[in-house]
Amino acid sequence: MASRVFFLSCLRAEGSSRCLSPRPRYPSMPKYPKGAKAVAAAATSGGGDPEAPLEEEEQKIALFTVIGMTCAACAGSVEKAIKRLPGIHDATVDVLNDRAQVIFYPAFVSEYTIRETIEDVGFEATLIKEEVKEKSTPICRLRIKGMTCTSCSSTIESALQAVSGVQKALVALATEEAEIRYDPKHVSTNRLLEVVEDTGFEAILITTGEDRNKIELQVDGELDGRSISMVISSLQALPGVEDVNVEPAIHKVTISYKSDQTGPRNFIEIIESTGSGHLKASIYPEGGRRELHKLEEIKQYYRSFLWSLVFTIPVFLTSMVFMYIPGIKHGLDKKVVNMLSVGELLRWILSTPVQFIIGRRFYTGAYKALRHGSTNMDVLVALGTNAAYFYSLYSVLRAATSQNFKGTDFFETSSMLISFILLGKYLEILAKGKTSEAIAKLMDLAPETAILLTYDTEGHVVNEKEIDSRLIQKNDVIKVMPGGKVASDGLVIWGQSYVNESMITGESQPVGKRKGDTVIGATVNENGVLHVQATHVGSESALSQIVRLVESAQMAKAPVQKFADRISKYFVPLVTGKFNGYPKSWIPSSMDSFQLALQFGISVMVIACPCALGLATPTAVMVGTGVGASQGVLIKGGQALESAHKVDCIVFDKTGTLTTGKPVVVSTRLLKHMLLRDFYEYVAAAEVNSEHPLAKAIVQHAKKFREDEENHAWLEAQDFISVTGHGVKAKVGNKEIIVGNKLLMLESGIHVPIAAFEILAEAEKMAQTGIMVSMDGEVVGIIAISDLLKPGARDVIPLLRSIKVKSMMVTGDNWGTANAIAKEVGIDAVVAEAKPEQKAQIIKELQMSGLTVAMVGDGTNDSPALVSADVGMAIGAGTDIAIEAADIVLMRSNLEDVITAIDLSRKTFFRIHMNYIWALGYNIIGIPIAAGVLFPSARFRLPPWVAGAAMAASSVSVVCCSLLLKNYRRPKKLDALQFKEILVE
């Protein structure tokens, strides 16, 4: 494999020295001109509604062949030219494959215009194909109350899946939520709610998936019909408002809107002005809906358990304790009517409210399940407790109507069983609440307030005002004080400081920020004051994306869960089947054969409930993904988690993965006596006009010689010429400057001395790019530029080898650089000069050889390989976390997190296997004992209430076992790594 060679016509040994792989930034929102919305609406609807949102217009994708590009600078110029056109949503230019993909709105830009624009830049363009871009399918989320085991979740899932327009439905027992991918043209969210409620469960809409942003406002004041109508019509008239819903009873207004057109402060202003001063609006107090729902459920089970104890303790005492106290026993044995004793009457009266009032939830659940032809925990509990209660009732009625009947009642069995199950459910919900703490902690990171700055027409700050951070709108300027949290994702427009981004990216080292740098909401500003312009607010922020990713990951089912679901599906019906009779020798003198069989049958039915089995996988996945997020490793669901623990081969990209992806000057060798400061003054003056990454690295290095001067102005360059793929030429002062590779020097008639060739060869051996500089026709110096190895790259590869994971490097870079980098980090298998689709093919070949392959890349040119791999790991941080191609996102961009991801996956699956042992252990050991296997030899039988306690204990054990993952610590070998600083001359 290492010997495979892929030659690319656009990468030549001589001309590729400047072709470093860029990491382009693509805009997250479409660019359209002023009035574009009205134009698009008119164009498509024939002068219809001018306020029709542009996003609802048809998008197209056009693919062009672009001939003549030789490096990343060419691709950048093409991409920039396309994106300047009105109506362009996005554009991606692939220099390796000579292609450009453009997503655009045909209402006001055509393929012809795009092709002309590419040709105007200086390249030949041909349209390959175009297609209508499908709108992304919305995902609706519902909260579902009343589920008790996997049978319930499977019933709901099947019902939703059967609805026309539903593409996929996932119902998670552990989170008590449903995630439905649906087509809003064929099915509404109200219909989805009805389907869930028809299956017998309560459903609450969390989000429709169509709303870009949604905010809830509390309106204080009198809300009569007229004022409500005025508020709704005034809000709907605002540009960007999609939907308005008013709930007068609780004084709440819910508004769905587009954040790039309007925001919550506008809504508050409109509401208060509409009410002529009688209405006051503010952010509706959240209190965390998920937490409120959980707290209410916990309180319900706690109250039910306490009330059941009030009745069950006397029942237990009269049947198990007082019967051995002579005086009390005599009183309890007194006959009330015929053979009916006081004790039996008391137990009947006390156990009835437990059975039918406190235990009503089990009847409701059993009815819902049986109505849809399924069986669940409620069915087993209802069958067991009803059998005990109604047999006891029969015994009481016979005793009251007969003068010689001697029966036995089991009222304590039904009431104690219900009490123990309620206790178990209470403990289980308490424990389950802790599995989703990761999301709650993430959501708590956002600051409560922010300082809003107001500017005058000349750009001076005229006012500062503290506002609720949820009222921040796009393009607002926020002041961030030292020690304060950044309130929104944005761009620094003034000031400089260090920002601690560890709460988002997991990276503990503070990051320097100055004008033009991006900041992430919820991170901490350490020293200087910053003015930040908000770019992403509400659901578009990095924090919201992370929360959504973790929520989706916790919803997704791991393939191993199918095993548990299959067992649960057949387990309950099997146990509720017919039981054989018991030998007469087993029957004690105090009861008949039916009573003994009844006791055994109730115990078997109760302990057989596979509730714990349904919790084994989702609780571990929830805790595992939550822990991963806190460690800077975002795992997108159970599938990724399960695949990662099997990985035995990792394929690394080079640029931006093993290396930093940011070229820097590492050394300068002068061939003529002159000051280094003066040398860089001329070189930077020429290169400052170039957009090439290597040019930027040279200019950045040159600034170090002018640190004593603020806003240093470089000498003016005249007659500037950029020679694509080779370098630049310019006249600076009275000198003719040429900066580029040796081919440019030779073509320009510059004599290159032998010493220069030797320095170049030495640089190439060290995986560096040599840039020659000539002044007035003479080579005066060579600048060595390197894309430096990431800290820890040398240590991570041996560590992977120690956990039996092979490493391989596949890159589009040239063989010389690839081999030098591979040798430095310790990778033996290398494939260089590989196109993106060839990377994917290599991964498929590795998979066919029997390996489970993970691909680690930067998420741009590596997308095909990331998708092809069993596990795609994207190097990305902050706002790059939503890389769709990857299964796992390494937010800190550290290679050590590759090991963390694999180790966490292995630890999580160890917990899942332990959970199966706990869950099935109770059933496998408990069922034979409950059925009486020990009765013939030891005369031991499992009382039904003990079986109930065991059933509850199994669920609690499983959840607690999963919670142990919260103590996860990454491998000690990683903590022992002493990462070296990158030294640059």
Side-chain angles (χ1 to χ4, degrees), residues 636-803:
K636 298 182 181 179
Q639 174 74 60
L641 203 61
E642 180 163 349
S643 299
H645 93 282
K646 302 173 185 174
V647 166
D648 48 17
C649 177
I650 294 187
V651 175
F652 290 95
D653 174 46
K654 182 185 75 68
T655 307
T657 302
L658 290 172
T659 62
T660 60
K662 297 176 182 177
V664 292
V665 175
V666 290
S667 67
T668 309
R669 300 282 292 275
L670 297 179
L671 301 179
K672 184 180 178 181
H673 289 289
M674 65 187 302
L675 287 175
L676 201 59
R677 174 178 170 138
D678 294 341
F679 171 80
Y680 272 106
E681 184 74 21
Y682 284 102
V683 175
E687 290 282 36
V688 76
N689 298 292
S690 173
E691 289 293 316
H692 200 283
L694 296 185
K696 289 181 178 179
I698 291 171
V699 174
Q700 194 63 37
H701 185 72
K703 287 179 181 177
K704 294 179 181 179
F705 298 97
R706 300 288 181 181
E707 286 182 344
D708 55 330
E709 303 175 31
E710 280 191 30
N711 301 319
H712 174 71
W714 302 108
L715 296 172
E716 186 181 351
Q718 297 176 334
D719 303 327
F720 175 81
I721 299 171
S722 176
V723 184
T724 305
H726 298 301
V728 299
K729 297 179 180 182
K731 187 174 182 180
V732 180
N734 59 351
K735 292 183 182 290
E736 294 285 344
I737 307 294
I738 300 177
V739 186
N741 58 21
K742 60 185 176 184
L743 189 61
L744 179 61
M745 297 297 163
L746 296 172
E747 287 178 352
S748 303
I750 307 294
H751 171 68
V752 180
I754 295 173
F757 281 116
E758 289 174 350
I759 294 169
L760 279 178
E762 187 182 331
E764 286 176 5
K765 283 181 183 176
M766 300 172 67
Q768 297 169 0
T769 301
I771 303 294
M772 291 187 180
V773 179
S774 79
M775 295 183 183
D776 292 333
E778 183 184 359
V779 175
V780 296
I782 294 172
I783 302 170
I785 298 178
S786 176
D787 185 6
L788 297 172
L789 275 181
K790 283 190 175 175
R794 294 181 185 88
D795 302 293
V796 167
I797 304 303
L799 282 177
L800 284 170
R801 201 175 290 122
S802 71
I803 59 172

Side-chain angles (χ1 to χ4, degrees), residues 765-845:
K765 283 181 183 176
M766 300 172 67
Q768 297 169 0
T769 301
I771 303 294
M772 291 187 180
V773 179
S774 79
M775 295 183 183
D776 292 333
E778 183 184 359
V779 175
V780 296
I782 294 172
I783 302 170
I785 298 178
S786 176
D787 185 6
L788 297 172
L789 275 181
K790 283 190 175 175
R794 294 181 185 88
D795 302 293
V796 167
I797 304 303
L799 282 177
L800 284 170
R801 201 175 290 122
S802 71
I803 59 172
K804 298 180 180 177
V805 177
K806 299 175 183 177
S807 299
M808 181 178 185
M809 185 171 79
V810 179
T811 178
D813 213 334
N814 62 71
W815 279 94
T817 304
N819 283 325
I821 293 291
K823 186 177 180 181
E824 208 168 340
V825 298
I827 293 178
D828 298 324
V830 182
V831 176
E833 300 180 8
K835 291 181 179 180
E837 65 271 19
Q838 289 169 333
K839 289 183 182 183
Q841 184 59 37
I842 290 165
I843 284 172
K844 287 174 184 173
E845 289 175 7

Side-chain angles (χ1 to χ4, degrees), residues 34 46 124 154 196 325 378 403 409 420 422 432 435 570 581 607 620 713 753 795 811 826 849 896 903:
K34 292 179 181 178
E124 185 184 335
S154 298
V196 175
I325 303 173
D378 292 327
Q403 296 183 353
D409 69 86
F420 272 102
L422 289 172
K432 274 165 64 181
T435 61
Y570 300 109
I607 204 168
D795 302 293
T811 178
S849 69
E896 55 185 291
D903 184 66

